[in-house]
Amino acid sequence: MAKLEGSFTVEDMKNVQINIGAVVKEEEEWDQPMGPFPKPQIATLRDWDFKILNRYRIFYAPADDTCTLCTYGPCDLTGNKRGACGINMAGTCGKIVLVACLMGTCAHTAHGRHLYHWTLDKFGDMKFDMGTDILVTAPLTETIIGIRPKSLKDFGKALEYCEEQITQLLAATHTGQEGDYMDFESKALHAGMIDSLGKEICDMLQIVAYNMPRGDPNAPLVEIGMGTLDQNKAVLIAYGHNLAAGAEAMFYTEANNLWDKVDIGGVCCTAIDLTRIGEGMGEKKVPDMVGTKAKVAGAIGWWRKMVRAGIMDTVMIDEQCVWCDALKDCEERKIPLIATNDKIMLGLKDRTNDPVDEIVDDLVNFRVPGVVILDPVKAGEVGVKTAIAVKPKRADIKNKSVLTEDEFKKLVSSCTKCNECAFVCPPHIRISHLMEEAAKGNLEPFSSTYEVCVGCGRCEQVCRQDLPILKMYEYANREYIKNQKFKMRAGRGPIRDTEIRAVGAPIVLGTIPGVIALVGCSNYPNGTKEAYEIAKEFVDRGYIVVTSGCMAMDMSLYTDADGKTIWEQYPGAFDGRNICNVGSCVANAHIHGAAIKVATIFAHRNHRANYDDIADYILSKVGACGIAWGAYSQKAASIATGVNRIGVPVVVQPHSVIYRRAFLGRADLPEDWVVIDARDGSKVRIEPAPEHMLYVAETKEEAMLMMAKLCFRPSDNSIGRMIKLTHYCDISMKYFGKLPDDWPVYVRHASELPLAWKDQMMKELEEKYGWKIDWKAKKIVEGPIRPADVSFDPTNIERKIRVRK
């Protein structure tokens, strides 16, 4: 074949086929230049991690003093001993933290991979469109990968990056690999960042494919609570985190006009995602507003109470946060179970390729306790048909499983008050006291501790009389279960760019005192009401409150004096005195995204492939704090660690220490609190703001006080600092009866003193701390760590210096 050489035009070419690959014109479509760190590898952001880790010292609380991760062990690591591989106790703790974070990261990323294949198979490639109010469409993908997705297929590149990083990180946990605790923690922070990206991929895929709300502050109110499930209909429960099969059950019910025969509800994050379907303004490939027909049965902490109450007729499980004894619980109560995802198969037979009617017949006649069906469409059809057909057969079984009054009285009188149950109860409920009072006819202790009970069943395992304690709880609370009917806001999805433009300056300057993010799992130290109380405390104070997942569900179970839930009391915008539910666990990515948007929309920071610059801005200027108040899973560990890497501190509850570490600042070490003034490169000592990065609180009250404190930032102007200091002091006075001991640390100018205590504080500053006060002018002359300076531009990154001295 002759070659045509030299210059030529297309017209000169005949019988030639030209194949052109992807033509990249990002600069034309996106005005930001590529930043320094597209697709950062394990070591790329290590310097940023070490800036965090050197300021916020790692505190380890090992669960034991041995390492059993390989067969060279068990190795004694007490004192200065090292294991057979040479690792010490700190290194082992760091490795365990990394493994936990990787578990959570894998769960979210694998969820994203499943949704990627499923949505493309079912709907085909779709335009990635977040609407006219959201132009920074995928902030984490843009900040980490450096691409702006145009269609669902573009997220495949981000998934490949996540999966590569997970493989590399997991390799570092092998015997004889990484051994330094600081580098393990840097890798854990990297895993947390990958987790945040994996979550964004998940939610963006399902928002577009299932036409969910795109930043809608007025997303519909949906029903939540065990009592919302109509017991006159068959009840199908979807349980887990992946909406695919549950959505297909809803589509089958809609297409066949079966809503009068079946109620579909969800447990855990699948519940939230089912209620979001079809409520957006995008391409309509799913039934319009179908999500409003689904019910939220409740969060993961209520599962065992629900199944023992027998409110469901069939259960479909998918992935993540499904209790491992779900099959046993269902089998005992003749509730057919369908496993719809290969991550949870529970030893059941795979019936994916069998005819629908044969599967339904086997389940309805209890020939098998459950099946695996990995085709979401078939699983949805089988789930609905099974629930409808099995309901009449379960009626007698259900009635027989409910205690009678005489049976209940006999059981409570059988308690020997050995208190073995109290010793193993996570929230330390004195069950013997409940039994004693019930024997007298007083069921109030059974009722008041129902929400505190986590449903773990440990009490039943150690009871010497084999008392069915959870069933007794069900009997004592049967009226509450029947009447547990509330409203919650459906997940609104991302924060709109227009909302960020409105609140960016108030957040950075401090006039909005902070952004409080309530995320994480259930099972709180003193019951679900603490989720509501924490949220209400901060929304009433004018903070922006955002939430998701189990905490969004749990705070929905309480009302004010007018009978309104928190969603009916407050608007759903991203603004002060608002509370917005962004969605399920994977929607937590929108909270990261909001912080990124403050930097890029308000401050005009280039965020494209520029992660450390954005994280530095957030740490220095965006007053935000997260809280994971439940006993949390590995996913919650990776979520919190990802939030930490982007510069947002997190408060966690006492059980969280089981993850072995905290990131604690040392306010007594001035050298830890030196930053760069980007204006001229000078070094400035700042107040410890925020003081900690990962803090374990013992009580709800301590948590709220610390959350207010962790919203302080060096960039606060004097009005903003006064507002933040007022809330910090007021919470301390409200719950502890005194001003916090360290309030003077945060005072830079007399105008920052809370008006309610200003004279008292100035007197104390002079007499107790030796500050010089000009009483005539009511000015502070000498004493603060640094003066207030509205143009101060704090940074921890030298390349941000504009003009060097």
Side-chain angles (χ1 to χ4, degrees), residues 4 91 109 168 175 198 221 307 340 430 450 632 667 735:
L4 181 61
T109 304
Q168 299 293 340
T175 300
L221 291 171
V307 73
T340 67
R430 286 287 303 276
Y450 188 49
Y632 67 113
Y735 293 109

Side-chain angles (χ1 to χ4, degrees), residues 184-490:
F184 272 127
E185 292 290 354
S186 172
K187 290 175 172 63
L189 290 166
H190 191 66
M193 182 191 75
I194 301 303
D195 177 75
S196 67
L197 178 56
K199 294 197 301 286
E200 181 175 86
I201 294 167
C202 285
D203 211 40
M204 293 307 189
L205 288 169
Q206 64 185 18
I207 284 174
V208 172
Y210 289 93
N211 193 24
M212 295 177 176
R214 290 155 166 81
D216 182 5
N218 298 309
L221 291 171
V222 296
E223 293 183 280
I224 179 171
M226 290 184 278
T228 65
L229 295 160
D230 189 344
Q231 296 300 302
N232 294 315
K233 302 178 185 178
V235 175
L236 174 63
I237 290 291
Y239 176 20
H241 279 252
N242 190 322
L243 84 165
E248 293 302 328
M250 292 169 62
F251 299 159
Y252 180 82
T253 303
E254 182 80 4
N256 292 277
N257 297 313
L258 294 173
W259 288 110
D260 62 332
K261 294 183 179 179
V262 65
D263 233 1
I264 298 178
V267 174
C268 216
C269 282
T270 292
I272 289 185
D273 285 336
L274 293 182
T275 62
R276 301 166 71 191
I277 297 173
E279 295 167 10
M281 301 298 292
E283 194 173 348
K284 298 185 183 300
K285 291 194 174 184
V286 297
D288 195 38
M289 300 300 288
V290 70
T292 58
K293 298 180 181 181
K295 310 286 182 63
V296 179
I300 186 174
W302 290 86
W303 161 255
R304 290 193 176 104
K305 299 172 188 177
M306 294 178 203
V307 73
R308 282 164 171 76
I311 65 170
M312 68 279 285
D313 295 297
T314 299
V315 173
M316 298 168 60
I317 61 170
D318 46 85
E319 62 174 303
Q320 303 169 48
C321 300
V322 174
W323 294 140
C324 297
D325 58 354
L327 179 62
K328 177 178 177 293
D329 271 338
C330 289
E331 186 175 7
E332 287 177 358
R333 292 156 185 84
K334 297 294 185 181
I335 302 170
L337 183 145
I338 303 165
T340 67
N341 192 290
D342 56 12
K343 299 181 194 71
I344 309 176
M345 299 174 77
L346 301 179
L348 297 170
K349 185 176 180 180
D350 186 351
R351 303 286 296 274
T352 305
N353 297 317
D354 291 356
V356 167
D357 291 340
E358 287 184 14
I359 303 171
V360 172
D361 188 61
D362 284 345
L363 290 171
V364 170
N365 289 296
F366 309 120
R367 296 189 190 96
V368 293
V371 296
V372 171
I373 304 175
L374 300 180
D375 174 0
V377 175
K378 180 177 284 188
E381 181 181 353
V382 170
V384 172
K385 286 183 172 179
T386 300
I388 293 172
V390 83
K391 179 177 175 57
K393 293 196 170 191
R394 287 197 63 255
D396 289 341
I397 298 168
K398 184 176 177 180
N399 290 334
K400 290 176 182 176
S401 69
V402 176
L403 294 176
T404 64
E405 183 178 355
D406 289 340
E407 288 172 333
F408 180 78
K409 288 180 178 179
K410 183 177 180 180
L411 289 169
V412 295
S413 65
S414 301
C415 175
T416 60
K417 302 177 182 60
C418 67
N419 287 318
E420 291 287 340
C421 49
F423 292 129
V424 299
C425 176
H428 309 297
I429 298 172
R430 286 287 303 276
I431 297 171
S432 62
H433 172 68
L434 274 57
M435 300 291 183
E436 186 176 18
E437 288 299 307
K440 300 174 186 176
N442 177 20
L443 297 183
E444 192 281 332
F446 260 111
S447 298
S448 60
T449 59
Y450 188 49
E451 66 159 277
V452 181
C453 168
V454 301
C456 65
R458 293 180 187 175
C459 52
E460 295 181 345
Q461 293 176 20
V462 300
C463 180
R464 297 175 182 178
Q465 304 302 315
D466 293 325
L467 297 179
I469 297 169
L470 292 179
K471 186 179 284 191
M472 297 168 74
Y473 257 117
E474 176 204 336
Y475 172 85
N477 291 280
R478 58 199 182 281
E479 288 302 313
Y480 171 81
I481 293 169
K482 186 167 63 176
N483 296 312
Q484 194 191 47
K485 300 177 182 180
F486 302 95
K487 297 283 188 182
M488 72 172 287
R489 182 82 60 195

